Amino acid sequence: QVQLVESGGGLVQPGGSLRLSCAASGFTFSMYYMMWVRQAPGKGPEWVSFINTGGESTRYADSVKGRFTISRDNAKNTLYLQMNSLKPEDTALYYCARCFSFDTCGGLTYDYWGQGTQVTVSS
């Protein structure tokens, strides 16, 4: 049974930082691209970042470039998202998802996802 469990969200002030984690189980983690998706109230989901199987290649949405960093530890079956210089517009439910390639990840095509962790950026 594929499971993806996010953690690390919370309430932070603008300019603050958070590190999200996604613990994966039930599949061979190292064989899949992984991504972070977020959904803000009243808006549809948008991809934030994704990473290839080995972690050598990454992509970021324009809105988070230079501020967020995606990484993975295949030995620990864990995906991370380091978020710096947070802005109120980053407020959303963040979830991780399993995808297949740069094209499918970028097209918001994934087959499994977690329940998400809430990130709220407010003063």
PDB file of all heavy atoms in Angstrom, residues 46-79:
ATOM      1  N   GLU A  46      -1.419  23.736  -7.683  1.00  0.00           N
ATOM      2  CA  GLU A  46      -0.316  24.128  -8.542  1.00  0.00           C
ATOM      3  C   GLU A  46       0.928  23.375  -8.108  1.00  0.00           C
ATOM      4  O   GLU A  46       1.146  23.138  -6.923  1.00  0.00           O
ATOM      5  CB  GLU A  46      -0.073  25.632  -8.491  1.00  0.00           C
ATOM      6  CG  GLU A  46       0.311  26.178  -7.134  1.00  0.00           C
ATOM      7  CD  GLU A  46       0.716  27.642  -7.172  1.00  0.00           C
ATOM      8  OE1 GLU A  46       1.310  28.084  -8.174  1.00  0.00           O
ATOM      9  OE2 GLU A  46       0.433  28.350  -6.175  1.00  0.00           O
ATOM     10  N   TRP A  47       1.729  23.005  -9.081  1.00  0.00           N
ATOM     11  CA  TRP A  47       2.967  22.338  -8.708  1.00  0.00           C
ATOM     12  C   TRP A  47       3.978  23.353  -8.218  1.00  0.00           C
ATOM     13  O   TRP A  47       4.072  24.463  -8.731  1.00  0.00           O
ATOM     14  CB  TRP A  47       3.515  21.472  -9.849  1.00  0.00           C
ATOM     15  CG  TRP A  47       4.028  22.183 -11.062  1.00  0.00           C
ATOM     16  CD1 TRP A  47       3.333  22.476 -12.201  1.00  0.00           C
ATOM     17  CD2 TRP A  47       5.359  22.660 -11.276  1.00  0.00           C
ATOM     18  NE1 TRP A  47       4.152  23.105 -13.105  1.00  0.00           N
ATOM     19  CE2 TRP A  47       5.393  23.233 -12.570  1.00  0.00           C
ATOM     20  CE3 TRP A  47       6.531  22.653 -10.510  1.00  0.00           C
ATOM     21  CZ2 TRP A  47       6.550  23.796 -13.114  1.00  0.00           C
ATOM     22  CZ3 TRP A  47       7.685  23.221 -11.040  1.00  0.00           C
ATOM     23  CH2 TRP A  47       7.685  23.780 -12.327  1.00  0.00           C
ATOM     24  N   VAL A  48       4.715  22.965  -7.221  1.00  0.00           N
ATOM     25  CA  VAL A  48       5.722  23.821  -6.607  1.00  0.00           C
ATOM     26  C   VAL A  48       7.112  23.441  -7.087  1.00  0.00           C
ATOM     27  O   VAL A  48       7.915  24.294  -7.462  1.00  0.00           O
ATOM     28  CB  VAL A  48       5.651  23.725  -5.075  1.00  0.00           C
ATOM     29  CG1 VAL A  48       6.757  24.548  -4.424  1.00  0.00           C
ATOM     30  CG2 VAL A  48       4.284  24.186  -4.581  1.00  0.00           C
ATOM     31  N   SER A  49       7.392  22.147  -7.051  1.00  0.00           N
ATOM     32  CA  SER A  49       8.718  21.655  -7.410  1.00  0.00           C
ATOM     33  C   SER A  49       8.659  20.159  -7.638  1.00  0.00           C
ATOM     34  O   SER A  49       7.802  19.475  -7.093  1.00  0.00           O
ATOM     35  CB  SER A  49       9.715  21.978  -6.286  1.00  0.00           C
ATOM     36  OG  SER A  49      11.030  21.572  -6.614  1.00  0.00           O
ATOM     37  N   PHE A  50       9.576  19.648  -8.440  1.00  0.00           N
ATOM     38  CA  PHE A  50       9.725  18.214  -8.558  1.00  0.00           C
ATOM     39  C   PHE A  50      11.183  17.846  -8.764  1.00  0.00           C
ATOM     40  O   PHE A  50      12.012  18.689  -9.105  1.00  0.00           O
ATOM     41  CB  PHE A  50       8.816  17.607  -9.638  1.00  0.00           C
ATOM     42  CG  PHE A  50       8.832  18.284 -10.979  1.00  0.00           C
ATOM     43  CD1 PHE A  50       9.710  17.887 -11.970  1.00  0.00           C
ATOM     44  CD2 PHE A  50       7.923  19.287 -11.274  1.00  0.00           C
ATOM     45  CE1 PHE A  50       9.702  18.482 -13.223  1.00  0.00           C
ATOM     46  CE2 PHE A  50       7.902  19.896 -12.527  1.00  0.00           C
ATOM     47  CZ  PHE A  50       8.796  19.492 -13.501  1.00  0.00           C
ATOM     48  N   ILE A  51      11.472  16.571  -8.569  1.00  0.00           N
ATOM     49  CA  ILE A  51      12.843  16.088  -8.532  1.00  0.00           C
ATOM     50  C   ILE A  51      12.907  14.709  -9.162  1.00  0.00           C
ATOM     51  O   ILE A  51      11.977  13.907  -9.034  1.00  0.00           O
ATOM     52  CB  ILE A  51      13.346  16.081  -7.066  1.00  0.00           C
ATOM     53  CG1 ILE A  51      14.836  15.778  -6.973  1.00  0.00           C
ATOM     54  CG2 ILE A  51      12.526  15.097  -6.223  1.00  0.00           C
ATOM     55  CD1 ILE A  51      15.405  16.069  -5.576  1.00  0.00           C
ATOM     56  N   ASN A  52      14.003  14.424  -9.852  1.00  0.00           N
ATOM     57  CA  ASN A  52      14.132  13.132 -10.500  1.00  0.00           C
ATOM     58  C   ASN A  52      14.518  12.049  -9.500  1.00  0.00           C
ATOM     59  O   ASN A  52      14.679  12.302  -8.309  1.00  0.00           O
ATOM     60  CB  ASN A  52      15.122  13.213 -11.673  1.00  0.00           C
ATOM     61  CG  ASN A  52      16.575  13.264 -11.230  1.00  0.00           C
ATOM     62  OD1 ASN A  52      16.892  13.766 -10.159  1.00  0.00           O
ATOM     63  ND2 ASN A  52      17.461  12.735 -12.073  1.00  0.00           N
ATOM     64  N   THR A  53      14.662  10.839  -9.999  1.00  0.00           N
ATOM     65  CA  THR A  53      14.859   9.692  -9.118  1.00  0.00           C
ATOM     66  C   THR A  53      16.104   9.794  -8.242  1.00  0.00           C
ATOM     67  O   THR A  53      16.065   9.462  -7.054  1.00  0.00           O
ATOM     68  CB  THR A  53      14.924   8.391  -9.932  1.00  0.00           C
ATOM     69  OG1 THR A  53      15.932   8.501 -10.939  1.00  0.00           O
ATOM     70  CG2 THR A  53      13.586   8.104 -10.596  1.00  0.00           C
ATOM     71  N   GLY A  54      17.199  10.235  -8.825  1.00  0.00           N
ATOM     72  CA  GLY A  54      18.451  10.314  -8.093  1.00  0.00           C
ATOM     73  C   GLY A  54      18.694  11.630  -7.388  1.00  0.00           C
ATOM     74  O   GLY A  54      19.657  11.747  -6.618  1.00  0.00           O
ATOM     75  N   GLY A  55      17.858  12.620  -7.653  1.00  0.00           N
ATOM     76  CA  GLY A  55      18.002  13.911  -7.005  1.00  0.00           C
ATOM     77  C   GLY A  55      18.907  14.892  -7.720  1.00  0.00           C
ATOM     78  O   GLY A  55      19.129  15.998  -7.219  1.00  0.00           O
ATOM     79  N   GLU A  56      19.400  14.528  -8.890  1.00  0.00           N
ATOM     80  CA  GLU A  56      20.337  15.398  -9.609  1.00  0.00           C
ATOM     81  C   GLU A  56      19.656  16.528 -10.372  1.00  0.00           C
ATOM     82  O   GLU A  56      20.300  17.548 -10.657  1.00  0.00           O
ATOM     83  CB  GLU A  56      21.174  14.585 -10.606  1.00  0.00           C
ATOM     84  CG  GLU A  56      21.934  13.422  -9.998  1.00  0.00           C
ATOM     85  CD  GLU A  56      21.179  12.110 -10.099  1.00  0.00           C
ATOM     86  OE1 GLU A  56      19.968  12.134 -10.417  1.00  0.00           O
ATOM     87  OE2 GLU A  56      21.782  11.051  -9.868  1.00  0.00           O
ATOM     88  N   SER A  57      18.386  16.339 -10.727  1.00  0.00           N
ATOM     89  CA  SER A  57      17.674  17.330 -11.526  1.00  0.00           C
ATOM     90  C   SER A  57      16.417  17.783 -10.813  1.00  0.00           C
ATOM     91  O   SER A  57      15.659  16.953 -10.284  1.00  0.00           O
ATOM     92  CB  SER A  57      17.314  16.755 -12.902  1.00  0.00           C
ATOM     93  OG  SER A  57      18.481  16.430 -13.634  1.00  0.00           O
ATOM     94  N   THR A  58      16.192  19.076 -10.819  1.00  0.00           N
ATOM     95  CA  THR A  58      15.034  19.651 -10.148  1.00  0.00           C
ATOM     96  C   THR A  58      14.397  20.739 -11.002  1.00  0.00           C
ATOM     97  O   THR A  58      15.043  21.313 -11.883  1.00  0.00           O
ATOM     98  CB  THR A  58      15.425  20.253  -8.794  1.00  0.00           C
ATOM     99  OG1 THR A  58      16.410  21.279  -8.996  1.00  0.00           O
ATOM    100  CG2 THR A  58      16.011  19.188  -7.872  1.00  0.00           C
ATOM    101  N   ARG A  59      13.133  21.035 -10.707  1.00  0.00           N
ATOM    102  CA  ARG A  59      12.417  22.123 -11.353  1.00  0.00           C
ATOM    103  C   ARG A  59      11.602  22.854 -10.308  1.00  0.00           C
ATOM    104  O   ARG A  59      11.141  22.255  -9.335  1.00  0.00           O
ATOM    105  CB  ARG A  59      11.495  21.601 -12.458  1.00  0.00           C
ATOM    106  CG  ARG A  59      12.202  20.949 -13.637  1.00  0.00           C
ATOM    107  CD  ARG A  59      12.907  21.978 -14.502  1.00  0.00           C
ATOM    108  NE  ARG A  59      13.453  21.356 -15.704  1.00  0.00           N
ATOM    109  CZ  ARG A  59      14.653  20.784 -15.773  1.00  0.00           C
ATOM    110  NH1 ARG A  59      15.439  20.745 -14.707  1.00  0.00           N
ATOM    111  NH2 ARG A  59      15.069  20.261 -16.917  1.00  0.00           N
ATOM    112  N   TYR A  60      11.407  24.146 -10.526  1.00  0.00           N
ATOM    113  CA  TYR A  60      10.660  24.970  -9.598  1.00  0.00           C
ATOM    114  C   TYR A  60       9.682  25.865 -10.336  1.00  0.00           C
ATOM    115  O   TYR A  60       9.974  26.358 -11.431  1.00  0.00           O
ATOM    116  CB  TYR A  60      11.595  25.853  -8.779  1.00  0.00           C
ATOM    117  CG  TYR A  60      12.559  25.079  -7.914  1.00  0.00           C
ATOM    118  CD1 TYR A  60      13.817  24.735  -8.381  1.00  0.00           C
ATOM    119  CD2 TYR A  60      12.201  24.685  -6.627  1.00  0.00           C
ATOM    120  CE1 TYR A  60      14.697  24.008  -7.596  1.00  0.00           C
ATOM    121  CE2 TYR A  60      13.076  23.958  -5.838  1.00  0.00           C
ATOM    122  CZ  TYR A  60      14.324  23.624  -6.324  1.00  0.00           C
ATOM    123  OH  TYR A  60      15.200  22.906  -5.544  1.00  0.00           O
ATOM    124  N   ALA A  61       8.545  26.083  -9.722  1.00  0.00           N
ATOM    125  CA  ALA A  61       7.629  27.085 -10.235  1.00  0.00           C
ATOM    126  C   ALA A  61       8.276  28.460 -10.117  1.00  0.00           C
ATOM    127  O   ALA A  61       9.052  28.721  -9.193  1.00  0.00           O
ATOM    128  CB  ALA A  61       6.321  27.048  -9.445  1.00  0.00           C
ATOM    129  N   ASP A  62       7.956  29.337 -11.059  1.00  0.00           N
ATOM    130  CA  ASP A  62       8.544  30.675 -11.045  1.00  0.00           C
ATOM    131  C   ASP A  62       8.300  31.400  -9.720  1.00  0.00           C
ATOM    132  O   ASP A  62       9.149  32.169  -9.263  1.00  0.00           O
ATOM    133  CB  ASP A  62       7.987  31.508 -12.194  1.00  0.00           C
ATOM    134  CG  ASP A  62       8.510  31.073 -13.546  1.00  0.00           C
ATOM    135  OD1 ASP A  62       9.528  30.358 -13.602  1.00  0.00           O
ATOM    136  OD2 ASP A  62       7.899  31.463 -14.558  1.00  0.00           O
ATOM    137  N   SER A  63       7.173  31.150  -9.120  1.00  0.00           N
ATOM    138  CA  SER A  63       6.804  31.850  -7.901  1.00  0.00           C
ATOM    139  C   SER A  63       7.686  31.504  -6.701  1.00  0.00           C
ATOM    140  O   SER A  63       7.709  32.251  -5.723  1.00  0.00           O
ATOM    141  CB  SER A  63       5.340  31.566  -7.558  1.00  0.00           C
ATOM    142  OG  SER A  63       5.113  30.181  -7.392  1.00  0.00           O
ATOM    143  N   VAL A  64       8.404  30.388  -6.773  1.00  0.00           N
ATOM    144  CA  VAL A  64       9.215  29.970  -5.634  1.00  0.00           C
ATOM    145  C   VAL A  64      10.702  29.865  -5.946  1.00  0.00           C
ATOM    146  O   VAL A  64      11.498  29.570  -5.044  1.00  0.00           O
ATOM    147  CB  VAL A  64       8.721  28.628  -5.045  1.00  0.00           C
ATOM    148  CG1 VAL A  64       7.234  28.691  -4.731  1.00  0.00           C
ATOM    149  CG2 VAL A  64       9.032  27.467  -5.985  1.00  0.00           C
ATOM    150  N   LYS A  65      11.088  30.121  -7.175  1.00  0.00           N
ATOM    151  CA  LYS A  65      12.497  30.019  -7.551  1.00  0.00           C
ATOM    152  C   LYS A  65      13.368  30.927  -6.695  1.00  0.00           C
ATOM    153  O   LYS A  65      13.046  32.087  -6.468  1.00  0.00           O
ATOM    154  CB  LYS A  65      12.686  30.370  -9.021  1.00  0.00           C
ATOM    155  CG  LYS A  65      12.278  29.283  -9.982  1.00  0.00           C
ATOM    156  CD  LYS A  65      12.504  29.712 -11.428  1.00  0.00           C
ATOM    157  CE  LYS A  65      12.074  28.628 -12.395  1.00  0.00           C
ATOM    158  NZ  LYS A  65      12.197  29.070 -13.801  1.00  0.00           N
ATOM    159  N   GLY A  66      14.468  30.374  -6.238  1.00  0.00           N
ATOM    160  CA  GLY A  66      15.385  31.129  -5.410  1.00  0.00           C
ATOM    161  C   GLY A  66      15.040  31.121  -3.941  1.00  0.00           C
ATOM    162  O   GLY A  66      15.856  31.567  -3.121  1.00  0.00           O
ATOM    163  N   ARG A  67      13.858  30.635  -3.604  1.00  0.00           N
ATOM    164  CA  ARG A  67      13.424  30.616  -2.209  1.00  0.00           C
ATOM    165  C   ARG A  67      13.243  29.201  -1.664  1.00  0.00           C
ATOM    166  O   ARG A  67      13.476  28.961  -0.484  1.00  0.00           O
ATOM    167  CB  ARG A  67      12.111  31.383  -2.046  1.00  0.00           C
ATOM    168  CG  ARG A  67      12.197  32.840  -2.465  1.00  0.00           C
ATOM    169  CD  ARG A  67      10.934  33.610  -2.096  1.00  0.00           C
ATOM    170  NE  ARG A  67       9.760  33.094  -2.799  1.00  0.00           N
ATOM    171  CZ  ARG A  67       8.680  32.597  -2.189  1.00  0.00           C
ATOM    172  NH1 ARG A  67       8.630  32.548  -0.862  1.00  0.00           N
ATOM    173  NH2 ARG A  67       7.648  32.162  -2.906  1.00  0.00           N
ATOM    174  N   PHE A  68      12.798  28.287  -2.511  1.00  0.00           N
ATOM    175  CA  PHE A  68      12.531  26.912  -2.089  1.00  0.00           C
ATOM    176  C   PHE A  68      13.579  25.972  -2.672  1.00  0.00           C
ATOM    177  O   PHE A  68      14.096  26.200  -3.771  1.00  0.00           O
ATOM    178  CB  PHE A  68      11.157  26.448  -2.572  1.00  0.00           C
ATOM    179  CG  PHE A  68       9.978  27.113  -1.915  1.00  0.00           C
ATOM    180  CD1 PHE A  68      10.120  28.222  -1.094  1.00  0.00           C
ATOM    181  CD2 PHE A  68       8.703  26.609  -2.135  1.00  0.00           C
ATOM    182  CE1 PHE A  68       9.022  28.831  -0.501  1.00  0.00           C
ATOM    183  CE2 PHE A  68       7.596  27.205  -1.545  1.00  0.00           C
ATOM    184  CZ  PHE A  68       7.755  28.316  -0.731  1.00  0.00           C
ATOM    185  N   THR A  69      13.853  24.897  -1.946  1.00  0.00           N
ATOM    186  CA  THR A  69      14.774  23.874  -2.409  1.00  0.00           C
ATOM    187  C   THR A  69      14.184  22.498  -2.144  1.00  0.00           C
ATOM    188  O   THR A  69      13.847  22.174  -1.005  1.00  0.00           O
ATOM    189  CB  THR A  69      16.137  23.976  -1.708  1.00  0.00           C
ATOM    190  OG1 THR A  69      16.699  25.273  -1.918  1.00  0.00           O
ATOM    191  CG2 THR A  69      17.102  22.925  -2.263  1.00  0.00           C
ATOM    192  N   ILE A  70      14.062  21.702  -3.191  1.00  0.00           N
ATOM    193  CA  ILE A  70      13.578  20.339  -3.052  1.00  0.00           C
ATOM    194  C   ILE A  70      14.779  19.396  -2.982  1.00  0.00           C
ATOM    195  O   ILE A  70      15.798  19.611  -3.636  1.00  0.00           O
ATOM    196  CB  ILE A  70      12.641  19.961  -4.222  1.00  0.00           C
ATOM    197  CG1 ILE A  70      11.933  18.629  -3.952  1.00  0.00           C
ATOM    198  CG2 ILE A  70      13.389  19.922  -5.547  1.00  0.00           C
ATOM    199  CD1 ILE A  70      10.822  18.314  -4.959  1.00  0.00           C
ATOM    200  N   SER A  71      14.658  18.356  -2.187  1.00  0.00           N
ATOM    201  CA  SER A  71      15.713  17.357  -2.091  1.00  0.00           C
ATOM    202  C   SER A  71      15.098  16.032  -1.675  1.00  0.00           C
ATOM    203  O   SER A  71      13.930  15.964  -1.292  1.00  0.00           O
ATOM    204  CB  SER A  71      16.801  17.793  -1.103  1.00  0.00           C
ATOM    205  OG  SER A  71      16.272  17.951   0.201  1.00  0.00           O
ATOM    206  N   ARG A  72      15.888  14.989  -1.762  1.00  0.00           N
ATOM    207  CA  ARG A  72      15.402  13.680  -1.345  1.00  0.00           C
ATOM    208  C   ARG A  72      16.536  12.862  -0.761  1.00  0.00           C
ATOM    209  O   ARG A  72      17.711  13.054  -1.107  1.00  0.00           O
ATOM    210  CB  ARG A  72      14.757  12.937  -2.525  1.00  0.00           C
ATOM    211  CG  ARG A  72      15.726  12.571  -3.644  1.00  0.00           C
ATOM    212  CD  ARG A  72      14.984  12.097  -4.893  1.00  0.00           C
ATOM    213  NE  ARG A  72      14.225  10.876  -4.656  1.00  0.00           N
ATOM    214  CZ  ARG A  72      13.243  10.438  -5.441  1.00  0.00           C
ATOM    215  NH1 ARG A  72      12.892  11.139  -6.519  1.00  0.00           N
ATOM    216  NH2 ARG A  72      12.613   9.307  -5.144  1.00  0.00           N
ATOM    217  N   ASP A  73      16.177  11.962   0.117  1.00  0.00           N
ATOM    218  CA  ASP A  73      17.113  11.015   0.693  1.00  0.00           C
ATOM    219  C   ASP A  73      16.539   9.636   0.421  1.00  0.00           C
ATOM    220  O   ASP A  73      15.641   9.173   1.127  1.00  0.00           O
ATOM    221  CB  ASP A  73      17.292  11.256   2.187  1.00  0.00           C
ATOM    222  CG  ASP A  73      18.385  10.410   2.799  1.00  0.00           C
ATOM    223  OD1 ASP A  73      18.715   9.340   2.231  1.00  0.00           O
ATOM    224  OD2 ASP A  73      18.919  10.798   3.848  1.00  0.00           O
ATOM    225  N   ASN A  74      17.042   9.001  -0.623  1.00  0.00           N
ATOM    226  CA  ASN A  74      16.488   7.713  -1.013  1.00  0.00           C
ATOM    227  C   ASN A  74      16.728   6.626   0.033  1.00  0.00           C
ATOM    228  O   ASN A  74      15.937   5.692   0.152  1.00  0.00           O
ATOM    229  CB  ASN A  74      17.060   7.284  -2.364  1.00  0.00           C
ATOM    230  CG  ASN A  74      16.467   8.065  -3.527  1.00  0.00           C
ATOM    231  OD1 ASN A  74      15.409   8.688  -3.398  1.00  0.00           O
ATOM    232  ND2 ASN A  74      17.140   8.037  -4.666  1.00  0.00           N
ATOM    233  N   ALA A  75      17.811   6.739   0.780  1.00  0.00           N
ATOM    234  CA  ALA A  75      18.083   5.763   1.831  1.00  0.00           C
ATOM    235  C   ALA A  75      17.051   5.829   2.945  1.00  0.00           C
ATOM    236  O   ALA A  75      16.807   4.838   3.626  1.00  0.00           O
ATOM    237  CB  ALA A  75      19.486   5.964   2.389  1.00  0.00           C
ATOM    238  N   LYS A  76      16.457   7.000   3.129  1.00  0.00           N
ATOM    239  CA  LYS A  76      15.449   7.193   4.161  1.00  0.00           C
ATOM    240  C   LYS A  76      14.028   7.240   3.612  1.00  0.00           C
ATOM    241  O   LYS A  76      13.085   7.441   4.373  1.00  0.00           O
ATOM    242  CB  LYS A  76      15.727   8.477   4.938  1.00  0.00           C
ATOM    243  CG  LYS A  76      17.019   8.453   5.726  1.00  0.00           C
ATOM    244  CD  LYS A  76      17.216   9.754   6.491  1.00  0.00           C
ATOM    245  CE  LYS A  76      18.475   9.711   7.317  1.00  0.00           C
ATOM    246  NZ  LYS A  76      18.695  10.975   8.061  1.00  0.00           N
ATOM    247  N   ASN A  77      13.880   7.069   2.312  1.00  0.00           N
ATOM    248  CA  ASN A  77      12.564   7.146   1.667  1.00  0.00           C
ATOM    249  C   ASN A  77      11.837   8.443   2.025  1.00  0.00           C
ATOM    250  O   ASN A  77      10.647   8.436   2.348  1.00  0.00           O
ATOM    251  CB  ASN A  77      11.694   5.944   2.058  1.00  0.00           C
ATOM    252  CG  ASN A  77      12.152   4.639   1.439  1.00  0.00           C
ATOM    253  OD1 ASN A  77      11.727   3.572   1.869  1.00  0.00           O
ATOM    254  ND2 ASN A  77      13.016   4.695   0.436  1.00  0.00           N
ATOM    255  N   THR A  78      12.563   9.537   1.946  1.00  0.00           N
ATOM    256  CA  THR A  78      12.004  10.809   2.381  1.00  0.00           C
ATOM    257  C   THR A  78      12.277  11.913   1.369  1.00  0.00           C
ATOM    258  O   THR A  78      13.385  12.018   0.835  1.00  0.00           O
ATOM    259  CB  THR A  78      12.570  11.217   3.747  1.00  0.00           C
ATOM    260  OG1 THR A  78      12.305  10.176   4.695  1.00  0.00           O
ATOM    261  CG2 THR A  78      11.919  12.500   4.243  1.00  0.00           C
ATOM    262  N   LEU A  79      11.274  12.721   1.129  1.00  0.00           N
ATOM    263  CA  LEU A  79      11.341  13.897   0.277  1.00  0.00           C
ATOM    264  C   LEU A  79      11.261  15.135   1.161  1.00  0.00           C
ATOM    265  O   LEU A  79      10.530  15.147   2.155  1.00  0.00           O
ATOM    266  CB  LEU A  79      10.174  13.883  -0.711  1.00  0.00           C
ATOM    267  CG  LEU A  79      10.029  15.064  -1.662  1.00  0.00           C
ATOM    268  CD1 LEU A  79      11.090  14.996  -2.757  1.00  0.00           C
ATOM    269  CD2 LEU A  79       8.630  15.076  -2.271  1.00  0.00           C
TER     270      LEU A  79
END
